Amino acid sequence: MVIKNTSSDAERKMLSDAGYADPAINYYLEKKYMGHIENADQVSEKVGSCGDIMKVYIKMDQNNLIDDVRYEITGCAGAISAAMAAVDLVKGKTIEYALKINDGDVFKVLENIPEKKHHCIQLAVKTMHKGLQELKTEKV
Ligand code: FES
């Protein structure tokens, strides 16, 4: 038997009508990297031009690769989907690689979000880059 989650069906339709593609909607509904990391190597925060706030937690592994990234977000669906997609792009990668990820890379993963939400992708990427830069600086 399939149990229908009507509230997420309604959200899905609303987001789709607003211009979000399926991958973006899935990232938003699953929120798989939302939350915090208890023993993070780096915690950084950024406020977007819209006033929304993102906090990023970064954990490195023993080989100096990005083990895990989590976000706490006070922001819109665009920001949440972008941040979750950004994590998938950098997990298991080096800091240098992750610093080269840009808004366009995240947009490609999301496939589409409304144009007025593009600055939310920027906030997700900039917050992660801020965390990575600060982590790098501390390590030197
Ligand atoms: Fe503020 Fe999207 S993050 S409107």
Side-chain angles (χ1 to χ4, degrees), residues 35 42-58 66 69-75 79-80 82-84 86-87 90 95 98-99 101-103 106 119-135:
Q42 180 65 41
V43 182
S44 297
E45 193 176 284
K46 191 154 181 61
V47 182
S49 52
C50 57
D52 289 333
I53 304 166
M54 277 198 192
K55 200 170 189 178
V56 70
Y57 296 78
I58 302 169
I66 298 170
V69 181
R70 301 278 149 151
Y71 279 91
E72 284 177 342
I73 301 170
T74 315
I80 293 170
M84 303 298 104
V87 177
V90 304
I95 292 182
L99 284 171
I101 296 292
N102 62 31
D103 307 0
V106 175
H119 71 95
C120 314
I121 301 181
Q122 248 175 45
L123 178 59
V125 172
K126 279 187 179 165
T127 306
M128 181 186 289
H129 284 178
K130 184 179 178 196
L132 293 166
Q133 285 291 4
E134 289 175 355
L135 181 60

Tab-separated table of all heavy atoms in Angstrom, residues 35 42-58 66 69-75 79-80 82-84 86-87 90 95 98-99 101-103 106 119-135:
chain	number	residue	atom	x	y	z
A	35	GLY	N	20.597	20.816	9.022
A	35	GLY	CA	20.885	20.551	10.427
A	35	GLY	C	22.302	20.962	10.762
A	35	GLY	O	22.879	21.801	10.074
A	42	GLN	N	34.484	23.325	11.091
A	42	GLN	CA	34.258	24.732	10.801
A	42	GLN	C	32.768	25.042	10.857
A	42	GLN	O	31.951	24.267	10.363
A	42	GLN	CB	34.794	25.046	9.386
A	42	GLN	CG	34.617	26.472	8.958
A	42	GLN	CD	35.426	27.433	9.814
A	42	GLN	OE1	36.569	27.147	10.160
A	42	GLN	NE2	34.837	28.564	10.193
A	43	VAL	N	32.432	26.168	11.464
A	43	VAL	CA	31.050	26.657	11.460
A	43	VAL	C	31.122	28.112	11.020
A	43	VAL	O	31.844	28.911	11.613
A	43	VAL	CB	30.403	26.570	12.864
A	43	VAL	CG1	28.946	27.031	12.807
A	43	VAL	CG2	30.494	25.158	13.426
A	44	SER	N	30.422	28.457	9.966
A	44	SER	CA	30.438	29.830	9.465
A	44	SER	C	29.024	30.262	9.122
A	44	SER	O	28.169	29.431	8.826
A	44	SER	CB	31.308	29.947	8.211
A	44	SER	OG	32.638	29.637	8.523
A	45	GLU	N	28.838	31.570	9.109
A	45	GLU	CA	27.491	32.095	8.894
A	45	GLU	C	27.527	33.243	7.900
A	45	GLU	O	28.505	33.995	7.856
A	45	GLU	CB	26.964	32.581	10.243
A	45	GLU	CG	25.475	32.850	10.237
A	45	GLU	CD	24.985	33.232	11.639
A	45	GLU	OE1	24.865	32.333	12.483
A	45	GLU	OE2	24.751	34.429	11.847
A	46	LYS	N	26.466	33.366	7.122
A	46	LYS	CA	26.396	34.476	6.178
A	46	LYS	C	24.960	34.972	6.080
A	46	LYS	O	24.020	34.180	6.100
A	46	LYS	CB	26.899	34.011	4.804
A	46	LYS	CG	27.118	35.141	3.852
A	46	LYS	CD	28.154	34.804	2.798
A	46	LYS	CE	28.372	35.976	1.875
A	46	LYS	NZ	28.867	37.182	2.542
A	47	VAL	N	24.832	36.276	5.961
A	47	VAL	CA	23.501	36.880	5.786
A	47	VAL	C	23.383	37.311	4.332
A	47	VAL	O	24.269	37.974	3.793
A	47	VAL	CB	23.331	38.105	6.717
A	47	VAL	CG1	21.926	38.688	6.573
A	47	VAL	CG2	23.605	37.719	8.162
A	48	GLY	N	22.288	36.915	3.691
A	48	GLY	CA	22.096	37.256	2.278
A	48	GLY	C	21.582	38.668	2.100
A	48	GLY	O	21.170	39.324	3.068
A	49	SER	N	21.564	39.129	0.855
A	49	SER	CA	21.079	40.479	0.561
A	49	SER	C	19.603	40.609	0.931
A	49	SER	O	19.102	41.702	1.176
A	49	SER	CB	21.292	40.789	-0.917
A	49	SER	OG	20.733	39.763	-1.702
A	50	CYS	N	18.900	39.474	0.988
A	50	CYS	CA	17.470	39.479	1.336
A	50	CYS	C	17.271	39.491	2.851
A	50	CYS	O	16.139	39.575	3.327
A	50	CYS	CB	16.811	38.236	0.760
A	50	CYS	SG	17.608	36.721	1.327
A	51	GLY	N	18.362	39.346	3.607
A	51	GLY	CA	18.251	39.319	5.071
A	51	GLY	C	18.176	37.914	5.638
A	51	GLY	O	18.198	37.729	6.856
A	52	ASP	N	18.080	36.932	4.763
A	52	ASP	CA	18.038	35.547	5.246
A	52	ASP	C	19.428	35.091	5.693
A	52	ASP	O	20.436	35.599	5.225
A	52	ASP	CB	17.497	34.616	4.156
A	52	ASP	CG	16.012	34.832	3.926
A	52	ASP	OD1	15.339	35.273	4.877
A	52	ASP	OD2	15.538	34.579	2.813
A	53	ILE	N	19.426	34.105	6.602
A	53	ILE	CA	20.689	33.679	7.214
A	53	ILE	C	20.970	32.208	6.939
A	53	ILE	O	20.067	31.372	7.037
A	53	ILE	CB	20.635	33.880	8.753
A	53	ILE	CG1	20.302	35.335	9.073
A	53	ILE	CG2	21.953	33.473	9.405
A	53	ILE	CD1	19.911	35.540	10.525
A	54	MET	N	22.223	31.929	6.619
A	54	MET	CA	22.650	30.535	6.457
A	54	MET	C	23.843	30.285	7.360
A	54	MET	O	24.741	31.119	7.461
A	54	MET	CB	23.117	30.274	5.030
A	54	MET	CG	22.001	29.988	4.092
A	54	MET	SD	22.675	29.201	2.612
A	54	MET	CE	21.228	29.314	1.581
A	55	LYS	N	23.835	29.126	7.977
A	55	LYS	CA	24.962	28.700	8.786
A	55	LYS	C	25.438	27.378	8.202
A	55	LYS	O	24.606	26.494	7.934
A	55	LYS	CB	24.476	28.505	10.227
A	55	LYS	CG	25.550	28.524	11.260
A	55	LYS	CD	24.875	28.573	12.630
A	55	LYS	CE	25.864	28.804	13.724
A	55	LYS	NZ	25.207	28.892	15.029
A	56	VAL	N	26.736	27.261	7.968
A	56	VAL	CA	27.254	26.029	7.378
A	56	VAL	C	28.191	25.335	8.361
A	56	VAL	O	28.955	25.985	9.079
A	56	VAL	CB	27.950	26.330	6.016
A	56	VAL	CG1	29.253	27.095	6.184
A	56	VAL	CG2	28.196	25.060	5.233
A	57	TYR	N	28.095	24.022	8.425
A	57	TYR	CA	28.951	23.171	9.256
A	57	TYR	C	29.743	22.284	8.317
A	57	TYR	O	29.152	21.640	7.441
A	57	TYR	CB	28.114	22.277	10.181
A	57	TYR	CG	27.290	23.025	11.196
A	57	TYR	CD1	26.098	23.639	10.831
A	57	TYR	CD2	27.685	23.108	12.521
A	57	TYR	CE1	25.337	24.331	11.769
A	57	TYR	CE2	26.930	23.793	13.465
A	57	TYR	CZ	25.761	24.402	13.070
A	57	TYR	OH	25.006	25.085	13.990
A	58	ILE	N	31.055	22.256	8.491
A	58	ILE	CA	31.895	21.457	7.601
A	58	ILE	C	32.733	20.483	8.424
A	58	ILE	O	33.335	20.859	9.426
A	58	ILE	CB	32.831	22.350	6.770
A	58	ILE	CG1	32.000	23.358	5.943
A	58	ILE	CG2	33.708	21.505	5.832
A	58	ILE	CD1	32.812	24.447	5.288
A	66	ILE	N	36.365	16.605	1.994
A	66	ILE	CA	35.153	17.052	2.683
A	66	ILE	C	34.289	15.836	3.002
A	66	ILE	O	33.795	15.153	2.099
A	66	ILE	CB	34.393	18.079	1.821
A	66	ILE	CG1	35.282	19.308	1.596
A	66	ILE	CG2	33.059	18.457	2.475
A	66	ILE	CD1	34.758	20.279	0.568
A	69	VAL	N	28.822	18.113	5.075
A	69	VAL	CA	28.456	19.532	5.174
A	69	VAL	C	26.972	19.585	5.538
A	69	VAL	O	26.165	18.828	4.992
A	69	VAL	CB	28.665	20.273	3.825
A	69	VAL	CG1	28.305	21.747	3.961
A	69	VAL	CG2	30.086	20.120	3.328
A	70	ARG	N	26.648	20.429	6.480
A	70	ARG	CA	25.231	20.635	6.852
A	70	ARG	C	24.949	22.126	6.878
A	70	ARG	O	25.840	22.928	7.172
A	70	ARG	CB	24.934	20.068	8.242
A	70	ARG	CG	25.207	18.607	8.402
A	70	ARG	CD	24.061	17.792	7.870
A	70	ARG	NE	24.603	16.536	7.363
A	70	ARG	CZ	23.947	15.397	7.324
A	70	ARG	NH1	22.713	15.346	7.739
A	70	ARG	NH2	24.487	14.325	6.830
A	71	TYR	N	23.706	22.454	6.624
A	71	TYR	CA	23.286	23.854	6.656
A	71	TYR	C	22.129	24.042	7.630
A	71	TYR	O	21.228	23.194	7.697
A	71	TYR	CB	22.741	24.273	5.304
A	71	TYR	CG	23.740	24.640	4.235
A	71	TYR	CD1	24.230	23.684	3.356
A	71	TYR	CD2	24.121	25.960	4.053
A	71	TYR	CE1	25.099	24.029	2.329
A	71	TYR	CE2	24.991	26.322	3.026
A	71	TYR	CZ	25.471	25.351	2.169
A	71	TYR	OH	26.318	25.708	1.154
A	72	GLU	N	22.162	25.139	8.344
A	72	GLU	CA	20.965	25.617	9.045
A	72	GLU	C	20.537	26.861	8.278
A	72	GLU	O	21.359	27.757	8.057
A	72	GLU	CB	21.282	25.961	10.498
A	72	GLU	CG	21.434	24.713	11.349
A	72	GLU	CD	21.835	24.987	12.798
A	72	GLU	OE1	22.323	26.105	13.077
A	72	GLU	OE2	21.681	24.094	13.613
A	73	ILE	N	19.297	26.889	7.870
A	73	ILE	CA	18.861	27.949	6.957
A	73	ILE	C	17.580	28.620	7.422
A	73	ILE	O	16.599	27.951	7.726
A	73	ILE	CB	18.612	27.359	5.540
A	73	ILE	CG1	19.894	26.717	5.017
A	73	ILE	CG2	18.097	28.427	4.580
A	73	ILE	CD1	19.714	25.906	3.747
A	74	THR	N	17.649	29.943	7.508
A	74	THR	CA	16.428	30.716	7.671
A	74	THR	C	16.247	31.360	6.311
A	74	THR	O	16.831	32.393	6.025
A	74	THR	CB	16.637	31.825	8.720
A	74	THR	OG1	17.307	31.245	9.826
A	74	THR	CG2	15.328	32.405	9.175
A	75	GLY	N	15.514	30.718	5.454
A	75	GLY	CA	15.416	31.238	4.092
A	75	GLY	C	14.363	30.501	3.305
A	75	GLY	O	13.625	29.681	3.842
A	79	ALA	N	16.729	28.759	-1.509
A	79	ALA	CA	17.960	28.696	-0.719
A	79	ALA	C	18.191	27.282	-0.208
A	79	ALA	O	19.316	26.767	-0.250
A	79	ALA	CB	17.857	29.662	0.460
A	80	ILE	N	17.146	26.654	0.260
A	80	ILE	CA	17.277	25.299	0.812
A	80	ILE	C	17.669	24.310	-0.283
A	80	ILE	O	18.620	23.540	-0.140
A	80	ILE	CB	15.976	24.875	1.535
A	80	ILE	CG1	15.781	25.750	2.768
A	80	ILE	CG2	15.997	23.387	1.893
A	80	ILE	CD1	14.433	25.626	3.449
A	82	ALA	N	19.125	24.897	-3.106
A	82	ALA	CA	20.476	25.206	-3.604
A	82	ALA	C	21.548	24.709	-2.644
A	82	ALA	O	22.560	24.144	-3.057
A	82	ALA	CB	20.618	26.712	-3.823
A	83	ALA	N	21.329	24.908	-1.355
A	83	ALA	CA	22.324	24.483	-0.369
A	83	ALA	C	22.464	22.954	-0.381
A	83	ALA	O	23.584	22.426	-0.345
A	83	ALA	CB	21.911	24.969	1.022
A	84	MET	N	21.332	22.250	-0.463
A	84	MET	CA	21.383	20.784	-0.453
A	84	MET	C	22.116	20.270	-1.704
A	84	MET	O	22.921	19.341	-1.635
A	84	MET	CB	19.961	20.191	-0.404
A	84	MET	CG	19.094	20.648	0.771
A	84	MET	SD	19.714	20.217	2.411
A	84	MET	CE	20.377	21.775	2.998
A	86	ALA	N	24.359	21.921	-3.410
A	86	ALA	CA	25.772	22.306	-3.303
A	86	ALA	C	26.542	21.259	-2.500
A	86	ALA	O	27.681	20.931	-2.829
A	86	ALA	CB	25.886	23.681	-2.647
A	87	VAL	N	25.917	20.702	-1.470
A	87	VAL	CA	26.602	19.684	-0.655
A	87	VAL	C	26.910	18.454	-1.506
A	87	VAL	O	28.015	17.906	-1.453
A	87	VAL	CB	25.765	19.290	0.586
A	87	VAL	CG1	26.463	18.187	1.359
A	87	VAL	CG2	25.504	20.496	1.473
A	90	VAL	N	30.115	18.780	-3.440
A	90	VAL	CA	31.441	18.887	-2.792
A	90	VAL	C	31.802	17.718	-1.870
A	90	VAL	O	32.956	17.591	-1.467
A	90	VAL	CB	31.580	20.210	-1.992
A	90	VAL	CG1	31.312	21.402	-2.891
A	90	VAL	CG2	30.677	20.238	-0.778
A	95	ILE	N	39.066	20.853	-0.626
A	95	ILE	CA	38.629	22.239	-0.405
A	95	ILE	C	38.827	23.046	-1.688
A	95	ILE	O	37.957	23.819	-2.088
A	95	ILE	CB	39.421	22.882	0.761
A	95	ILE	CG1	39.034	22.215	2.077
A	95	ILE	CG2	39.178	24.388	0.817
A	95	ILE	CD1	39.718	22.797	3.310
A	98	ALA	N	36.079	22.362	-4.088
A	98	ALA	CA	34.806	22.926	-3.627
A	98	ALA	C	34.762	24.447	-3.786
A	98	ALA	O	33.705	25.023	-4.029
A	98	ALA	CB	34.567	22.534	-2.167
A	99	LEU	N	35.929	25.083	-3.669
A	99	LEU	CA	35.963	26.543	-3.816
A	99	LEU	C	35.724	26.967	-5.261
A	99	LEU	O	35.415	28.126	-5.531
A	99	LEU	CB	37.308	27.093	-3.322
A	99	LEU	CG	37.460	27.158	-1.795
A	99	LEU	CD1	38.885	27.506	-1.416
A	99	LEU	CD2	36.489	28.165	-1.195
A	101	ILE	N	33.391	25.515	-7.170
A	101	ILE	CA	31.965	25.330	-7.480
A	101	ILE	C	31.308	26.709	-7.548
A	101	ILE	O	31.514	27.542	-6.670
A	101	ILE	CB	31.290	24.504	-6.348
A	101	ILE	CG1	31.876	23.092	-6.282
A	101	ILE	CG2	29.775	24.474	-6.480
A	101	ILE	CD1	31.563	22.226	-7.454
A	102	ASN	N	30.525	26.942	-8.582
A	102	ASN	CA	29.859	28.248	-8.663
A	102	ASN	C	28.342	28.114	-8.796
A	102	ASN	O	27.803	27.000	-8.853
A	102	ASN	CB	30.473	29.094	-9.780
A	102	ASN	CG	30.297	28.438	-11.132
A	102	ASN	OD1	29.310	27.731	-11.365
A	102	ASN	ND2	31.247	28.639	-12.017
A	103	ASP	N	27.690	29.261	-8.865
A	103	ASP	CA	26.223	29.281	-8.926
A	103	ASP	C	25.701	28.461	-10.109
A	103	ASP	O	24.690	27.779	-10.006
A	103	ASP	CB	25.716	30.712	-9.103
A	103	ASP	CG	26.278	31.651	-8.061
A	103	ASP	OD1	27.060	31.203	-7.203
A	103	ASP	OD2	25.919	32.834	-8.107
A	106	VAL	N	25.553	24.747	-9.435
A	106	VAL	CA	24.423	24.380	-8.578
A	106	VAL	C	23.121	24.470	-9.387
A	106	VAL	O	22.262	23.590	-9.307
A	106	VAL	CB	24.350	25.287	-7.325
A	106	VAL	CG1	23.110	24.992	-6.497
A	106	VAL	CG2	25.609	25.094	-6.477
A	119	HIS	N	19.492	34.598	-6.614
A	119	HIS	CA	20.406	35.128	-5.577
A	119	HIS	C	20.474	34.186	-4.382
A	119	HIS	O	21.431	34.222	-3.606
A	119	HIS	CB	19.976	36.536	-5.136
A	119	HIS	CG	18.725	36.556	-4.324
A	119	HIS	ND1	18.746	36.546	-2.942
A	119	HIS	CD2	17.423	36.544	-4.677
A	119	HIS	CE1	17.495	36.548	-2.500
A	119	HIS	NE2	16.676	36.546	-3.530
A	120	CYS	N	19.487	33.315	-4.251
A	120	CYS	CA	19.482	32.354	-3.140
A	120	CYS	C	20.537	31.270	-3.395
A	120	CYS	O	21.148	30.759	-2.455
A	120	CYS	CB	18.104	31.727	-2.981
A	120	CYS	SG	16.794	32.952	-3.037
A	121	ILE	N	20.752	30.936	-4.679
A	121	ILE	CA	21.831	29.997	-5.019
A	121	ILE	C	23.155	30.637	-4.618
A	121	ILE	O	24.026	29.989	-4.034
A	121	ILE	CB	21.852	29.670	-6.533
A	121	ILE	CG1	20.532	29.050	-6.971
A	121	ILE	CG2	23.031	28.750	-6.865
A	121	ILE	CD1	20.489	28.667	-8.447
A	122	GLN	N	23.269	31.913	-4.937
A	122	GLN	CA	24.495	32.643	-4.596
A	122	GLN	C	24.772	32.590	-3.100
A	122	GLN	O	25.900	32.385	-2.670
A	122	GLN	CB	24.306	34.106	-4.975
A	122	GLN	CG	25.171	34.560	-6.102
A	122	GLN	CD	24.811	35.984	-6.487
A	122	GLN	OE1	24.639	36.843	-5.630
A	122	GLN	NE2	24.686	36.195	-7.780
A	123	LEU	N	23.726	32.771	-2.313
A	123	LEU	CA	23.897	32.753	-0.856
A	123	LEU	C	24.399	31.374	-0.396
A	123	LEU	O	25.302	31.283	0.438
A	123	LEU	CB	22.578	33.131	-0.155
A	123	LEU	CG	22.614	33.106	1.374
A	123	LEU	CD1	23.659	34.054	1.941
A	123	LEU	CD2	21.234	33.444	1.953
A	124	ALA	N	23.820	30.320	-0.962
A	124	ALA	CA	24.241	28.959	-0.575
A	124	ALA	C	25.713	28.740	-0.914
A	124	ALA	O	26.480	28.212	-0.098
A	124	ALA	CB	23.368	27.924	-1.285
A	125	VAL	N	26.119	29.152	-2.104
A	125	VAL	CA	27.507	28.946	-2.542
A	125	VAL	C	28.451	29.828	-1.728
A	125	VAL	O	29.495	29.370	-1.254
A	125	VAL	CB	27.633	29.235	-4.064
A	125	VAL	CG1	29.095	29.222	-4.494
A	125	VAL	CG2	26.842	28.209	-4.860
A	126	LYS	N	28.070	31.095	-1.548
A	126	LYS	CA	28.945	32.013	-0.807
A	126	LYS	C	29.118	31.571	0.649
A	126	LYS	O	30.191	31.734	1.224
A	126	LYS	CB	28.367	33.430	-0.831
A	126	LYS	CG	28.670	34.165	-2.117
A	126	LYS	CD	28.210	35.593	-2.000
A	126	LYS	CE	28.496	36.386	-3.251
A	126	LYS	NZ	27.756	37.646	-3.268
A	127	THR	N	28.077	31.054	1.233
A	127	THR	CA	28.172	30.598	2.625
A	127	THR	C	29.142	29.426	2.714
A	127	THR	O	30.000	29.374	3.605
A	127	THR	CB	26.789	30.189	3.175
A	127	THR	OG1	25.886	31.271	2.982
A	127	THR	CG2	26.850	29.837	4.646
A	128	MET	N	29.025	28.505	1.778
A	128	MET	CA	29.934	27.361	1.799
A	128	MET	C	31.375	27.817	1.557
A	128	MET	O	32.299	27.384	2.252
A	128	MET	CB	29.535	26.329	0.746
A	128	MET	CG	30.451	25.127	0.789
A	128	MET	SD	30.165	23.955	-0.506
A	128	MET	CE	28.605	23.260	-0.026
A	129	HIS	N	31.554	28.709	0.595
A	129	HIS	CA	32.905	29.207	0.308
A	129	HIS	C	33.491	29.937	1.517
A	129	HIS	O	34.679	29.797	1.817
A	129	HIS	CB	32.882	30.130	-0.916
A	129	HIS	CG	32.770	29.377	-2.208
A	129	HIS	ND1	32.683	29.982	-3.430
A	129	HIS	CD2	32.723	28.044	-2.455
A	129	HIS	CE1	32.611	29.043	-4.379
A	129	HIS	NE2	32.608	27.872	-3.810
A	130	LYS	N	32.644	30.687	2.206
A	130	LYS	CA	33.128	31.391	3.395
A	130	LYS	C	33.638	30.372	4.419
A	130	LYS	O	34.722	30.519	4.978
A	130	LYS	CB	31.988	32.241	3.994
A	130	LYS	CG	32.446	33.070	5.160
A	130	LYS	CD	31.318	33.923	5.724
A	130	LYS	CE	31.822	34.707	6.929
A	130	LYS	NZ	30.756	35.240	7.743
A	131	GLY	N	32.861	29.327	4.646
A	131	GLY	CA	33.263	28.284	5.596
A	131	GLY	C	34.569	27.624	5.174
A	131	GLY	O	35.466	27.414	5.988
A	132	LEU	N	34.680	27.317	3.887
A	132	LEU	CA	35.887	26.639	3.394
A	132	LEU	C	37.109	27.547	3.500
A	132	LEU	O	38.193	27.093	3.879
A	132	LEU	CB	35.677	26.205	1.934
A	132	LEU	CG	34.633	25.104	1.727
A	132	LEU	CD1	34.259	24.996	0.257
A	132	LEU	CD2	35.145	23.760	2.244
A	133	GLN	N	36.921	28.826	3.170
A	133	GLN	CA	38.038	29.785	3.263
A	133	GLN	C	38.504	29.913	4.707
A	133	GLN	O	39.697	29.924	4.983
A	133	GLN	CB	37.603	31.176	2.757
A	133	GLN	CG	37.489	31.285	1.257
A	133	GLN	CD	38.844	31.209	0.549
A	133	GLN	OE1	39.870	31.008	1.166
A	133	GLN	NE2	38.835	31.344	-0.770
A	134	GLU	N	37.538	30.032	5.616
A	134	GLU	CA	37.889	30.179	7.023
A	134	GLU	C	38.576	28.918	7.551
A	134	GLU	O	39.515	28.985	8.334
A	134	GLU	CB	36.641	30.536	7.841
A	134	GLU	CG	36.201	31.967	7.547
A	134	GLU	CD	34.898	32.380	8.222
A	134	GLU	OE1	34.241	31.533	8.871
A	134	GLU	OE2	34.527	33.543	8.056
A	135	LEU	N	38.116	27.783	7.093
A	135	LEU	CA	38.729	26.516	7.485
A	135	LEU	C	40.164	26.460	6.986
A	135	LEU	O	41.088	26.077	7.710
A	135	LEU	CB	37.904	25.364	6.873
A	135	LEU	CG	38.344	23.938	7.167
A	135	LEU	CD1	38.314	23.652	8.662
A	135	LEU	CD2	37.424	22.951	6.469
